[in-house]
């Protein structure tokens, strides 16, 4: 009994030390040892002797126990293993947890560079077409954090058409629309990739009149960014806006929404009056 306690203590001490444990589901095997998923992070670093699980046991050993205690302290091999699991593990709940972990890690600039260098941007973005909405949402959330890095934006720009399609095809006010617009907000902060969104300006304007205040705010952040670019002026003013858009210019409209709407219109007026030398206010 003492040996078993020692093994289990070592296992959980290792989990606490690493902060992230992927693909681990510990259970006692019939021989009294501890069954671990071969190739898991814990199996590689704990020094425990692996007990190969039977097919029945293997079905119960998943990555449900992912822990993300200190995402800022992840090392390259931890990130690499998370990306590998994302590619090879078809279990939806495991993928969601790995995406959450990678998204949390991507809040730190050092990990933004590391994930790019390990080819992780395309691995994560590959799940934009996953059939499960929850996976697509967490994928977008991770990409949103990763897009706060200018070098990452250069790779992520190729996914703008796919993200725009998600906005168009998803239910109004859904988490998918909101997460997609958040990503586009980051990608439209500079002028570099705004031209990729010009064909969707009518879509953005239409969303303003059918969405809730949260989504309206996010749509307007994108529109304010676009309207601050003189090169986008013609595309914006020629876009087909719904007639009911004027109803938003009302004191009953939510104040943050109204302020951004006025900023958007103000940018257009400034650029029209003063010419291409003037850049309007960006979204806040």
């Amino acid at each position: 009994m003492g040996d078993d306690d020692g093994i289990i203590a070592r296992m959980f001490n290792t989990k606490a030390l690493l902060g992230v444990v992927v693909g681990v589901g510990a259970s006692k095997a019939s021989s009294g040892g501890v069954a671990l998923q071969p190739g898991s992070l814990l199996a590689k670093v704990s020094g425990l002797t692996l007990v190969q699980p039977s097919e029945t046991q293997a079905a119960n050993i998943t990555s449900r126990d992912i822990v993300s205690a200190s995402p800022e302290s992840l090392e390259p091999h931890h990130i690499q293993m998370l990306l590998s699991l994302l590619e090879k593990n078809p279990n939806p709940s495991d993928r969601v947890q790995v995406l959450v972990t990678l998204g949390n890690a991507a809040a730190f600039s050092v990990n933004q560079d590391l994930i790019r260098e390990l080819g992780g941007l395309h691995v994560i973005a590959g799940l934009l077409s996953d059939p499960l909405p929850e996976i697509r949402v967490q994928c977008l959330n991770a990409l949103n954090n990763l897009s706060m890095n200018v070098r990452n934006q250069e790779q992520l720009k190729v996914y703008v058409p796919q993200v725009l399609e998600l906005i168009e095809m998803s239910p109004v006010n859904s988490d998918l629309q909101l997460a997609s617009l958040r990503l586009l907000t980051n990608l439209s902060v500079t002028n570099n990739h705004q031209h990729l969104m010009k064909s969707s300006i009518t879509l953005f304007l239409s969303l303003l009149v059918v969405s809730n205040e949260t989504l309206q705010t996010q749509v307007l952040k994108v529109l304010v960014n676009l309207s601050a670019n003189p090169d986008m002026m013609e595309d914006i003013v020629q876009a087909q806006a719904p007639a009911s858009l004027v109803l938003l210019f009302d004191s009953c409209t939510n104040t943050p929404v109204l302020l951004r709407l006025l900023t958007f219109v103000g940018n257009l007026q400034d650029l029209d009056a003063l010419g291409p030398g003037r850049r309007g206010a960006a979204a806040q």
Side-chain angles (χ1 to χ4, degrees), residues 10-263:
R10 289 169 61 195
M11 178 181 71
F12 285 104
N13 284 340
T14 302
K15 289 172 72 174
L17 175 64
L18 292 174
V20 175
V21 177
V22 179
V24 178
S27 62
K28 289 197 174 181
S30 58
S31 62
V34 176
L36 303 176
Q37 178 69 38
S40 69
L41 180 56
L42 185 57
K44 288 181 178 292
V45 300
S46 67
L48 300 179
T49 300
L50 293 183
V51 178
Q52 295 296 333
S54 66
E55 290 184 5
T56 302
Q57 289 172 318
N60 295 323
I61 299 175
T62 70
S63 56
R64 290 188 298 268
D65 299 324
I66 291 177
V67 178
S68 181
S70 303
E72 75 276 14
S73 64
L74 290 179
E75 297 181 10
H77 64 279
H78 299 151
I79 297 288
Q80 184 66 73
M81 294 184 72
L82 287 167
L83 293 171
S84 178
L85 181 62
L86 200 58
E87 286 186 292
K88 298 177 181 178
N89 191 336
N91 185 286
S93 62
D94 290 350
R95 281 184 161 184
V96 167
Q97 292 180 69
V98 172
L99 286 168
V100 170
T101 300
L102 287 169
N104 290 338
F108 300 90
S109 57
V110 63
N111 290 330
Q112 294 167 5
D113 290 326
L114 181 57
I115 291 172
R116 181 188 68 252
E117 292 163 2
L118 291 172
L121 297 181
H122 300 303
V123 172
I124 295 171
L127 294 178
L128 285 172
S129 57
D130 192 277
L132 293 180
E134 186 178 6
I135 289 179
R136 296 201 298 273
V137 168
Q138 294 304 331
C139 169
L140 287 161
N141 289 341
L143 293 177
N144 182 42
N145 283 346
L146 288 164
S147 69
M148 298 178 73
N149 180 303
V150 174
R151 295 184 66 182
N152 287 353
Q153 289 188 9
E154 284 300 315
Q155 292 190 23
L156 294 176
K157 67 183 181 182
V158 299
Y159 299 105
V160 169
Q162 193 172 355
V163 175
L164 290 169
E165 185 178 2
L166 279 176
I167 295 172
E168 186 172 7
M169 302 303 294
S170 300
V172 176
N173 298 325
S174 64
D175 290 340
L176 268 172
Q177 280 194 333
L178 184 59
S180 297
L181 286 164
R182 284 173 176 161
L183 175 57
L184 293 184
T185 300
N186 280 348
L187 291 175
S188 63
V189 167
T190 68
N191 296 354
N192 298 341
H193 316 303
Q194 292 179 351
H195 65 282
L196 299 172
M197 306 174 202
K198 64 183 181 180
S199 63
S200 295
I201 293 173
T202 296
L203 170 63
F204 298 149
L205 293 173
S206 298
L207 279 175
L208 284 177
V209 301
V210 297
S211 57
N212 59 26
E213 292 173 356
T214 300
L215 203 73
Q216 285 175 329
T217 298
Q218 205 63 50
V219 171
L220 282 165
K221 286 183 178 181
V222 177
L223 286 172
V224 168
N225 284 345
L226 298 181
S227 66
N229 180 0
D231 294 334
M232 295 294 295
M233 165 69 81
E234 184 175 356
D235 296 289
I236 295 173
V237 298
Q238 290 186 356
Q240 188 70 36
S244 55
L245 185 63
V246 297
L247 299 178
L248 291 178
F249 293 91
D250 187 273
S251 59
C252 295
T253 299
N254 177 269
T255 300
V257 171
L258 184 57
L259 287 174
R260 287 184 171 87
L261 187 60
L262 292 172
T263 301

